[in-house]
Each structure stands twice: as structure tokens, then as C-alpha cells.
Amino acid sequence: MTRAEMRKAAQKKGKGGGRSGAAAASAAAAGPGKKRFIDYPRFGKTGIRRWLPSWKQWLSGFLLVFGCFVGLVFYLYQTTQVPELNKLVQGQNTIYYWADGSEMTRKGQTNRQIVELPDISPNLQNAVIAAENQDFRTDHGIDPKGMLRAVYNMAKGGETQGASTITQQYVKNAYLSQEQTISRKVKEFFITLKIDQQQGKEEILKGYLNTSWFGRGANGAQAAAQAYYGVDAKDLNLCQSAMLAGLLKGAAYYDPTNPANKERAEGRWSWILDNMVKIKAVTSEERAKCTAFPDPVPLKPSSNMNGEVSYLVDTANKYVMNTDKAVTQQVIDKGGLKIYTTFEKDKVDALKKAVDDVKAENLDPQKRPDNDTNIQFGSASIRPGDGAIIALYGGDGVENGHFDNNADASGVQVGSTFKPFVLATAMQVGVQTAKGDDGKPKRINADSRYLADDMSEIRKPDGSLVIGDDGKPYHQKNEDASKHGYVSLRQAMQYSYNVPFVQLNQDVGGQNVADIAVQMGVRKESLADPKTATFPLGTSTISPIRMATAYGTLAASGKESEPYSVTKVELNGVERPGFAKKDAKVALEPAVADNVTDVLVNVAAKGTGTKTLALGRPVAGKTGTTDQNKSAWWVGYTPQLVTSVAMWREDPSKHERQSLNGTGGKASIHGGDIPTDVFTRYMKVALANEKKLDFPNPQPVGTEVDSSGAPSTATPVQTPTTADSPSAPPQTQQPTQPAQPQPTQTQSCVPGVDCPGDPQPTATKTKPPHPTNTCLIPGLPGCQTPPPTPTDTTTPGGGGKPSGKPTQTTPPGPPGG
């Protein structure tokens, strides 16, 4: 009987007689019988203990698994063959294509020279060991902890990690691909073991130093020494060697040529020198001689990267690396990629010509060396509703020593081009100073009236005064010192008055404005502090690419499309996933976006952007000029194309912004001047074969919600949909509701809107709910000659550079124009 049968027999003992009971008793008396090979569940144990293996079973199981693992490792080691030197070590090209499929340029792996180890400075050899693998001379080529950590991170989908020993990195560079997968890691492990057995440490170090990527397109120590210091690898000194060794961790992050990397590069350089002392590669006295960081020589540009090509390649590379994390700068430099871009050659050429022509006509560095030098332009042109970047202007070209991509520049304040975000927020979210029937902030429209007097006090939604840094009530400046009274937001945008938008920003909440701007395509990290009073005046530093993206959301009736510059990528003939066009997302209600566009059409046709009238088609946009005239902007669009143009002055040696005052022989530069001229010239060519399209007729949105103190009339003053035009003098009627207090005016008319004799008279006009004829541009089909524009005796572009310093205010920030 088995033990289980014996237990059952024992349980039945005494419960029955006869032959079955006797048989059970007899079997029990006979003992446990033959023992099982595996006693599981365990005999004689009860409860959970029956199912817990004994220590002998645990030990047996461990030995069995360990033996199988050892056998598997032995089998894989024996069957693993060291492949031939990787073809990726040989020169390959990364090829870039225009949007039509024709070749734009190619970057080839030609910057490599294989040299013997004695031809590489011992300083560099020791610096690399100190930085990458301090136990290199004594280890067996692998770091088990590092391997397990890397495999674990890849298995869980986390950040990939490279090999941690010099031998492993050499195997990856010379024998395997750069792809980070578990299977590649397993191959790397066994090949590393074999290479460590087959080759000596000196041979491995030589191979590693000849195959490693140092940035600047340099593969190998000899190419790196020439690229960064213009010397042979054998002539590198200690300080230079430590800098080059630091690049092996990632040249994209430690190349000090990029000012953003300088501090990080210096820190790693110092750390490597200290490690060299630690491993006794140099003495403390030798290390002490490296007091000044060895700055590299200027980058030598490749001739096939001249003009705008280098900036197009830079933009495409960034997009590829952000989209596909497996494609790093090192992978791009090693070659084997085909990158298909969205850039249209004729548009790129037209944009460059527009900038070059405007510079030639306005700038004379020889005549005005203190004003017309270091002038920078950055521009981006994008298809709204799609996001494809079709053209960029990134600078004068690497052949002229300009390496930064101005189209993706950071640090240039956008000025009053930020004001449409404030208006869009007021229409979408509402103002906290008025509540609707649902108790939520009331959404307003462009007919809402706000005080536009220079040096006005600004109030919080609860009515209390905004206090400046000096502890006194904050006063906001306009471009001029005129008293414009209460004007519609449409007119405030037309002349770029600051005061109405600073107050409107308080009413809607700066954080709400920031959130809407991000929804429209602005990067959160480029925004200034939304709690500051000057936030709505464009203290944020948004790149031309992202400003074009955000305005493209308006052009596409509220649909935000992420900008993209690459449509397809192939690596060694295999297409990479993830480059399909992204779907647009709704950022604004269509009515909100179309109403803001309607206001910006007025800016182009009658306000600070009238240079665009030469384009001969409907245009919407906004100018921007910043504090101390350090930058000037125009961001404009038609239904088919949105283009941003930024202009600033920068000392290239210090990367410091300088005032544009005096540039081109002009006292100051406004966004409606040179930037708008560049836009108009480019768009004429870019849209030459495009149909003339009108913007959508905006559906009603919000209500008129005047700021505190605005006069109340029986017939609310409504500014025209697209441009103010004169009509019969307004008739003053008895108000139907009590007039609110007026801090600066007492007459019943609206100063700056309908007051006879006002410096900027704007006659009253009844706006039809759905206009059917919006004739914006004289000369277009169906247009009649418009009545003459009311004369503006103040300076147009009231949001421009301040004419004086406020007496009681926080720093006014960019007034915008």
C-alpha cells in the first residue's frame, strides 16, 4: 500500500468490521511500504507544512537550477563566435532629403584615422581609464552588476544603459550594433568574455580608442584630437586629454562648444583629473597644473553644411532623437541613416533671400559698426493644421561662424506677440471679475472695454491694487504718455496698448493664460513666471518655431498640431517606427480661435502690421517689441501658412542681448518694421501659387464685459469686425443702468473710442452678427475703395519700447509693439 492508502486505512479503523477492516489493519501493521522518490506532498506532515519543501528539497532544487544555468552559459560560450569587425566601423553616410524626395545633403563618416597605441598620448589613455573603467588593467572584461542593471532597466522599459567596462564598450563599437536590446546585451556578454581571452589589454585599449565617438563627427582619438585641438593624438597634454575623455560619456552633453554644456563639461573634466590622481596615473603636482579649462578650437564646418542646411539638419536631428530614443547623436554620426524631411527647398531659399535682402537694404556694419553688427534673425514657416515645418532661417551659416540655430533660439523675449494668448484666454476661460448665470467666470469678446491710459494702476480681480517691487502701487506704461481712456480690446490689440492687457491678464489669471499658451503649442519651460504683472507683455522666451506653432493653432480654428520636420527614417535599410504624422488636438474652441484671428486681421490691416498690405491677401498677425528694444517680432499667418520672424542683437562672444536702438540708422526698431518686411517678402514668394483664401467668419463668442470704471451707455460701442471705419457721430442716449465710477474720465462718451476730438477718433459702427463682406485688402476682387483711415496723432504700435521709466512700478518688462 502507498502511504496515502495507509492513512486512509488508519482513518477507517474501527468504523467497520468484516473483511475490509481487517485488511486495513493488516496493511497498517505491515509498515509504510516502498518510499517515493520525491516525497511531496511530505508524508507525516499536516497543514501548510505538508506543502513546504524540506531543506534537502530546497538544496536539491537550487543545485539543479544552478547546474542547468552553468550548462547553458557553457553552451552559449562555446557556440558564440566572435564576428568580423563591424561594418559600421567603416565609413557610411547619413543622408537627408527635401520634402520632394531629392537629396539635401549627406554627412559621411570620413573623420576617422586608425592609429597605433604608441601614437595616442599616455595622458589620454590614462584619462579614459580613469573616466570609464578604473579596474580595466585587472578585470576580466565584464561588470556583472552593471550588466544586470542594464538588462533589468531594458526589460522594464526604462532608460537604456551602456556597457560599463572599456572591453564591453569596445565590443559594442567594433562588433555589434548600437541598439539597446536584451539579445544584444547577451551577445555582448559572451563576445566580451572571448575578446578578453583572445586579446591583450593593450590591444583592447587601442581598439576602443580608435572606435569611440567623441562628437564633432570625430570617431577615434586621432580624429578627436584634430577636431577639438588641432593636434595629433600623441601630442595631447594632460588637461586636453581629460576634456576629451569626458566626451565619451556623451558628447552631446559634454561638448563645451555648446554654452549650455560648459559648466557640466568643466565639472566632469575636474572629476576625471581627480580620478587620475586616485589611480596614481598622475601626481597631485601634475594635476595642479591644470587650472584653466582647455577650451577647444572653433568648430570647422563641413562645406556641405553651408547656408541654412546646417540648421535644417540640426532641427531634423533633434526631432529624430526626441521621437526615437534608440537613435542618438552617436548613431547619426556613425551613418547608415536616411532622413526624409518636411523642408521645401524653394521656401527655404525664399526665406533666406527675404532676410538677406532686408539686411542689405537696412544694415551697414561699416558705416554703423556700433549699431549694425551682431544683428540676428530667426524664422520658422509652418503649415497650420498639419504642423509640417517647411522653411527655417537659422542664421548666417556655419561658414560665417554662426553655429546656433536661431529658429530654435531660447532667451529672446517675444514682446506683444504674447497678447493674443491673453485675449484667447479671456474668450475661452472668462474673467474672474464677472460671473455668468452658471457662476463661472464670464467669457468676453473683443468689444469689451478696458482703460488704456498711460501709467494706469493695475487691480487684482478683488479690486485691490497690484503692488510693485518697491512696495508701492504698480503703474503700467504704454508706448506713449497719452490718455486714451477706455478702448475696446480690438483697438487695444490694433495699437498694442499695454495697460488693457496687463489688466486683462489680472482679470483672467496669469496661470490660466500660461495654460492656454501651452495648449496652443508653447513649451511650458519657455514661459516666464505667470504671477508677475508683466507676464502678458511677453517676458517669456519662446522660440520662433513654437511661436509659429501657437499662431498656427489660431489659423487652424483652434486645432493645435505639433511641429514636425521628419516624415520617415531608415536605419541600415530598415524603416524606424514612430514617425507617422500626429493627430491634431483641440486647444481652443473654433469660435474663440476665429475671433482672435479676426482681431489680428485688424492689426495687419489697420494697426501695427500694415506693411503686410503689400501681400495683397488677408493676413492676421501681431507685432512685438521688447523692453530696451532688445528684440522685435512679427508673427503672422494666412489660412495656408504661418510664419514667425524674430530680430535681435547679440554679442556672440558673451551671448548677451543688446539694444536694437540705432540699428539701421533708426532711433528704435519695432516689430512692424523690419521683421514684418521680411515676412511680407517671403510670403509673396511662398504663396505665389496658392489661392487667395479668406479666414472663416467668426461665430459670436462671449459678451461685452467692461473693466471696472468703464462708462456705461444705452447702446454699447462696438468696434468694427476687421477695421475701424468712420461713420455718423454717435448719439448719446440715457443709460439703462447706472454708470460705474470713472477714475480718469467723466464724459458719457468712451474716450479713445467715440469722443469727438479724441487724438484717435474711432467712430461708432453697428456690427452685423454675421458679416458677409469682409473687405480687408484694397484691390482684391469685390472690394470697394475703403473710406480714409482716421488719423492717429499718437505713435502707432503703442506697445513698443517705453519712452520713459515709470515712477512707481516693478520692472516694466517687454512692452511689446
Side-chain angles (χ1 to χ4, degrees), residues 367-403:
K367 182 178 179 180
R368 293 178 293 270
D370 295 334
N371 299 106
D372 289 5
T373 56
N374 301 332
I375 304 299
Q376 303 291 334
F377 286 85
S379 182
S381 191
I382 295 177
R383 297 281 185 195
D386 180 277
I389 306 173
I390 65 168
L392 293 176
Y393 182 86
D396 292 335
V398 293
E399 69 276 17
N400 294 314
H402 184 87
F403 299 99

Side-chain angles (χ1 to χ4, degrees), residues 376 409-413 541 628 630-631 648-651 654-660:
Q376 303 291 334
S410 60
V412 182
Q413 293 183 337
T541 55
Q628 300 178 19
K630 288 187 177 180
S631 63
W648 68 94
R649 190 164 178 248
E650 178 180 320
D651 183 344
K654 300 179 181 178
H655 290 279
E656 292 179 355
R657 307 285 185 262
Q658 300 173 329
S659 176
L660 289 169

Side-chain angles (χ1 to χ4, degrees), residues 382-387 549 553 559-563 582-585:
I382 295 177
R383 297 281 185 195
D386 180 277
T549 299
T553 299
K559 291 184 178 180
E560 189 268 338
S561 299
E562 278 294 291
K582 310 297 188 297
D583 293 332
K585 60 183 180 182

